[in-house]
Amino acid sequence: MAKLQWGMIGGGEGSQIGPAHRLGAGLDGLYNFAAGALDHRPDVGIEYGQRLGLGDRAYGSWQDMLEGEKKRDDRIDLVTVATPNATHFEITKAFLEGGFHVLCEKPMTMTVEEGEEIVKVAKATGQICAVNYGYSGYSLVRHMKAMVARGDIGKVRVVNAEFAHGHHADAADADNPRVRWRYDPAQAGVSAQFADCGIHAMHMASFVTGQEVTKLSADIVSCIEVRTLEDDAMVNFRMDGGAVGRLWTSSIAIGRQHGLGIQVFGETGGLRWSQEHPNQLYYMPLNGRLQVIERGEANLSPEADRTSRVTIGHAEGMPLAFANIYTDLAEAIDARKTGREMDAAANLFPKAEDGLRSMSAVVAVAQSGKADGQWVDARPPSLR
Ligand code: NAI
């Protein structure tokens, strides 16, 4: 496979998620980091981009980058959008329309309407629009999905997902501008904690079970009273294959760090996995014994094997999960460039439709939460 040209918007020095993308994209030698508009401050972005080796393709703004890259014969194939949420729609749309494939950070947009628009633009332009639900790249998450699909736990009855942390639990710090904006509807939209973290857990519930969320009922609270938007939510949902879903997300769960986890209970077995211990998957067959499945061990699914890189017993973490999204995308892009069928096993990266479904769930959670937990349709209009 010829090396692809890759660019990045956002993810500047000191950003939270920029380094994980650069590590992930760089891992397999499939991409050349060629261009970037890395910071909202043009000078700072150019200086950092040059330090990372981008030369004159370190741009001061995403608009300059779009224009500059459009003119080049060796233009980037894929751009990652890792800026703050409210900018995702405009940048993603512009790059898709400019003829570039896009990997957009979550949430893909701020509204359902924008999400619908991105899905349409991706279809019309023929460009790939992926969304970074990067935790779906973990080897054992892929294995869990494969086990569910081949019937190892039978028909799924209940899926229980959560994403809880305690990093916004300090009431005395609630007015700190770095925290406050997240709970301010003018800047964050209709939801805070569910839109930020809950959607990862909900995407994972769909990814692992192969079912989509149809309707939901939400109990949302602002435990810290000055907050307008929720810092804790409990969401009940139903899925189109009959599974019942339970999801808890919180930012005031003191002692929890990055508590993304999932449990899937079927008619003949159960599975349990958590992000903080991603190299073990717990499998309990009905009336059997609890088994600990280790990433990298023999006789796992092909989906797990192709996404596991470091020898068994050595920790693999989040940047390597992101790397699996980049590897999938490289396969999809190369297949298009060379006019061949893509390897179906790589077609697991989250798509614009997943970003749209999440946005619709975010709006549904806000709506249901305000209506005392009334059940509401969680599907976007175009996917009903
Ligand atoms: P951050 O605030 O740490 O960094 C944002 C970066 O974007 C900064 O370098 C800033 O200078 C740059 N930036 C802002 N506006 C820009 C513009 N117009 N042009 C170019 N650069 C610009 O934010 P963080 O935490 O890295 O989050 C970025 C995005 O990634 C958010 O949408 C967030 O939801 C998402 N995220 C996703 C995670 C995941 O697991 N998939 C985890 C953490 C964040």
Side-chain angles (χ1 to χ4, degrees):
M1 186 185 295
K3 219 169 194 171
L4 298 171
Q5 304 303 311
W6 174 63
M8 200 175 183
I9 299 164
E13 190 164 31
S15 67
Q16 193 189 163
I17 208 65
H21 280 281
R22 287 187 285 276
L23 286 168
L27 196 71
D28 296 315
L30 297 170
Y31 296 92
N32 174 40
F33 183 26
L38 302 176
D39 203 287
H40 65 287
R41 296 157 298 180
D43 295 351
V44 176
I46 290 172
E47 191 279 320
Y48 187 50
Q50 286 177 345
R51 219 181 326 139
L52 293 176
L54 301 181
D56 62 359
R57 290 167 86 181
Y59 297 92
S61 72
W62 66 264
Q63 290 92 342
D64 287 353
M65 178 165 155
L66 179 59
E67 288 318 307
E69 290 300 308
K70 270 202 228 166
K71 290 183 198 135
R72 298 183 72 101
D73 293 336
D74 62 346
R75 71 206 310 246
I76 49 168
D77 297 287
L78 173 71
V79 64
T80 294
V81 179
T83 49
N85 303 357
T87 62
H88 293 175
F89 171 68
E90 190 187 12
I91 302 175
T92 297
K93 184 169 182 276
F95 273 81
L96 289 171
E97 287 172 342
F100 299 92
H101 301 299
V102 177
L103 171 59
C104 182
E105 261 304 344
K106 46 56 62 176
M108 184 174 79
T109 58
M110 298 290 284
T111 67
V112 178
E113 292 73 22
E114 289 171 353
E116 298 274 15
E117 176 74 6
I118 292 293
V119 170
K120 263 194 220 151
V121 172
K123 275 197 190 124
T125 58
Q127 301 304 312
I128 296 168
C129 181
V131 182
N132 192 39
Y133 291 112
Y135 308 107
S136 63
Y138 275 109
S139 176
L140 287 180
V141 171
R142 298 280 172 104
H143 187 63
M144 197 171 15
K145 180 179 176 65
M147 287 181 76
V148 172
R150 73 189 182 200
D152 287 7
I153 62 167
K155 187 173 168 19
V156 175
R157 289 172 169 154
V158 170
V159 52
N160 187 336
E162 64 182 45
F163 195 157
H165 69 78
H167 303 301
H168 301 155
D170 186 352
D173 193 42
D175 221 23
N176 171 347
R178 287 203 65 178
V179 176
R180 193 180 52 208
W181 74 265
R182 295 169 180 277
Y183 300 91
D184 172 6
Q187 294 180 73
V190 295
S191 159
Q193 178 58 17
F194 184 78
D196 192 34
C197 294
I199 57 171
H200 276 296
M202 191 168 265
H203 174 264
M204 189 158 283
S206 289
F207 184 78
V208 167
T209 61
Q211 299 185 29
E212 300 296 348
V213 176
T214 52
K215 61 178 183 173
L216 61 80
S217 156
D219 181 15
I220 59 177
V221 286
S222 307
C223 293
I224 294 184
E225 282 169 11
V226 292
R227 289 178 179 158
T228 311
L229 297 176
E230 86 287 355
D231 51 23
D232 189 286
M234 180 65 86
V235 182
N236 284 306
F237 56 95
R238 296 289 187 272
M239 307 187 84
D240 58 6
V244 170
R246 318 281 187 208
L247 188 156
W248 172 53
T249 188
S250 184
S251 66
I252 54 87
I254 297 170
R256 299 295 296 270
Q257 303 300 338
H258 194 278
L260 171 63
I262 185 158
Q263 302 177 79
V264 189
F265 305 105
E267 289 174 345
T268 59
L271 290 162
R272 173 161 56 89
W273 178 87
S274 94
Q275 203 282 143
E276 289 179 1
H277 303 280
N279 296 295
Q280 286 81 35
L281 171 63
Y282 295 87
Y283 169 46
M284 178 76 181
L286 179 68
N287 300 323
R289 286 225 171 100
L290 184 65
Q291 300 171 27
V292 183
I293 298 171
E294 288 280 340
R295 182 198 53 73
E297 73 185 23
N299 301 320
L300 295 186
S301 58
E303 290 85 343
D305 290 342
R306 70 177 285 282
T307 49
S308 168
R309 293 184 174 83
V310 180
T311 330
I312 188 168
H314 301 286
E316 261 188 25
M318 182 257 244
L320 277 80
F322 281 24
N324 291 329
I325 305 290
Y326 279 97
T327 310
D328 287 352
L329 273 168
E331 168 61 16
I333 294 169
D334 185 72
R336 285 181 186 217
K337 283 181 96 168
T338 56
R340 62 176 174 83
E341 280 289 300
M342 79 173 283
D343 175 1
N347 198 15
L348 291 179
F349 60 89
K351 319 268 184 326
E353 283 80 0
D354 297 302
L356 168 60
R357 284 184 199 281
S358 297
M359 215 41 243
S360 192
V362 165
V363 172
V365 163
Q367 196 188 333
S368 170
K370 277 193 198 132
D372 266 347
Q374 195 182 355
W375 283 86
V376 296
D377 199 324
R379 298 165 302 173
S382 64
L383 296 173
R384 284 184 186 168

